[in-house]
Amino acid sequence: MRQTAGVGATEWIGAGSLAAWVWLALGQGFFWRTDVRLPARDDPERWPPVAVVVPARDEAAVLPVSLPSLLAQKYPGRAEVILVDDGSTDGTGELARELAGRGGLPLTVTAPGEPEPGWTGKLWAVRHGMALVRERGDAEYVLLTDADIAHAPDSLRELVAAARSAELDLVSQMARLRVVSFWERLIVPAFVYFFAQLYPFRWVNRPGARTAAAAGGCVLLRRAVAERAGLPDSIRHAVIDDVTLARAVRRAGGRIWLGLGDRVESVRPYAGLGTLWRMVSRSAYAQLRHNPLLLAGTVAGLALVYLAPPAALAAGLAAGSATTAALGGAAWAVMAGTYLPMLRYYGQPLWLAPLLPCTALLYLLMTVDSAVQHYRGRGAAWKGRTYGAPGAS
């Protein structure tokens, strides 16, 4: 009797997981597809002036690759680069000036001073850079790009052409992250996959849609809309600044677009599990609005969707229940199938697809750890600066 009841429970779990995966595959904006790239575009009659703002804090290790790619942009209009050295201790500012001496777009290196209370992450540096843009007065667009992002020579040109052609106020590309080490292979493609599952690009790109998101490493922003939305001051408390920025633009009546990048890539290495763990856990609980009920629901959801399929398969095989095994195996197969396009996009071996439950378990633990750190008063952190904890600034 106990065995029958146990098999029945696992059958229900397997059926629920399979139903969840069928819905995710077909009803969640086809999040798993990787064909959302820059929209069709034509060269504008006039190329508007653009300012590129790069917030940088202790980025000397990546600047020799990323900054020259910005200075070498083949943009037909007028463009300049503003690097905001936000309290670096590794010579970031000096290195930037040295790299600028090799030619290319004009570069300004500036420092914002210590952040005022209430400003999180890199937003203080972004504020300083955008204030300088306003003082100079004529930039129609601002490209916000992280210091670890390398751009192809035509990246800026293609971003502006897309914004002009489709009349977009925000164009954001998810930079292709570095995938070299074992842990990068296991975790990084899944990071983008999970992001797209939360914010399906097709939903984001619908005019007037409720879903809004951006990828902070590469955001081209129309300056007039940014000022209408009060950016970045209106989002100064945001831990997940890119998504919050996109929501602010949409609330201000702006049109936004988000897709995968073809011309932008991150050069930041994540050689070990620890650095990847910190990348995720620093903001995971903030994504859940520091709500214990949302945390519990997220843990349960991850368990049902990602952990239950292999568990149901194993339980069915152990108990001799073909139905349970078939349900679990089918759910696992759908899950792995939706992960294949992302692995192809990153040029990774397809045998990693069945390992997605292991990766999901790591993300579950990172999310729980994010909550633990929050309740221990440590808050989130960016480049050695803590915020979001009681008493933090």
Side-chain angles (χ1 to χ4, degrees):
M1 182 66 69
R2 289 180 181 175
Q3 184 178 3
T4 302
V7 170
T10 55
E11 284 181 359
W12 278 109
I13 292 172
S17 182
L18 178 58
W21 271 109
V22 171
W23 181 83
L24 284 170
L26 301 178
Q28 187 68 3
F30 294 101
F31 75 94
W32 45 271
R33 295 183 58 171
T34 56
D35 57 348
V36 181
R37 310 296 174 89
L38 279 178
R41 53 209 177 273
D42 297 308
D43 288 352
E45 294 181 3
R46 179 187 67 85
W47 290 93
V50 180
V52 181
V53 174
V54 186
R57 180 173 169 86
D58 293 332
E59 297 286 14
V62 295
L63 275 189
V65 178
S66 61
L67 186 57
S69 76
L70 286 172
L71 299 177
Q73 287 299 299
K74 305 300 182 184
Y75 183 66
R78 193 162 61 78
E80 64 172 332
V81 180
I82 300 171
L83 185 137
V84 185
D85 182 11
D86 188 8
S88 299
T89 59
D90 66 348
T92 290
E94 293 79 2
L95 177 59
R97 293 184 183 91
E98 178 185 333
L99 294 169
R102 302 175 187 178
L105 296 181
L107 172 70
T108 299
V109 179
T110 183
E114 285 301 307
E116 296 175 359
W119 285 84
T120 59
K122 62 187 179 185
L123 287 174
W124 176 249
V126 170
R127 178 182 187 260
H128 186 74
M130 292 187 69
L132 191 57
V133 172
R134 283 194 299 271
E135 288 177 10
R136 297 181 178 178
D138 62 346
E140 188 172 337
Y141 291 91
V142 178
L143 174 61
L144 303 176
T145 183
D146 288 346
D148 65 306
I149 303 299
H151 291 251
D154 62 347
S155 172
L156 182 58
R157 176 187 180 122
E158 295 301 311
L159 286 166
V160 173
R164 285 293 220 202
S165 298
E167 297 182 349
L168 298 167
D169 300 294
L170 183 153
V171 179
S172 179
Q173 288 186 292
M174 175 73 73
R176 197 185 300 258
L177 304 177
R178 181 182 182 271
V179 179
V180 176
S181 71
F182 167 78
W183 290 112
E184 288 171 338
R185 293 173 186 271
L186 188 65
I187 291 176
V188 167
F191 176 83
V192 182
Y193 173 89
F194 292 142
F195 183 91
Q197 191 177 82
L198 285 172
Y199 307 102
F201 296 164
R202 284 175 171 77
W203 289 2
V204 170
N205 298 340
R206 292 176 185 168
R210 295 182 61 184
T211 305
C218 178
V219 178
L220 182 74
L221 186 59
R222 191 189 300 271
R223 200 181 116 212
V225 174
E227 293 177 357
R228 189 163 73 234
L231 296 171
D233 297 61
S234 61
I235 63 169
R236 61 185 178 277
H237 299 291
V239 174
I240 306 172
D241 52 83
D242 44 12
V243 173
T244 310
L245 182 147
R247 290 172 178 165
V249 170
R250 176 150 281 168
R251 283 196 302 270
R255 294 189 59 193
I256 67 176
W257 184 92
L258 170 65
L260 292 174
D262 291 317
R263 295 170 174 82
V264 291
E265 61 181 45
S266 172
V267 297
R268 190 184 307 285
Y270 294 99
L273 176 60
T275 53
L276 286 162
W277 190 288
R278 288 188 291 274
M279 177 187 74
V280 175
S281 65
R282 75 178 182 89
S283 61
Y285 197 40
Q287 179 72 54
L288 301 176
R289 301 194 291 275
H290 302 127
N291 187 318
L293 293 179
L294 286 178
L295 174 65
T298 298
V299 170
L302 285 171
L304 174 66
V305 173
Y306 290 98
L307 306 185
L313 175 61
L317 293 175
S321 171
T323 301
T324 301
L327 289 169
W332 198 354
V334 175
M335 178 202 314
T338 64
Y339 193 37
L340 290 176
M342 190 61 68
L343 291 174
R344 291 194 186 99
Y345 172 74
Y346 272 97
Q348 297 305 302
L350 301 186
W351 56 261
L352 286 170
L355 299 183
L356 189 55
C358 300
T359 305
L361 176 59
L362 287 174
Y363 274 87
L364 186 155
L365 296 174
M366 293 174 196
T367 302
V368 172
D369 180 58
S370 179
V372 170
Q373 298 305 319
H374 172 79
Y375 289 114
R376 285 181 175 176
R378 297 180 183 177
W382 181 74
K383 295 288 182 180
R385 190 177 284 159
T386 302
Y387 49 91
S393 62

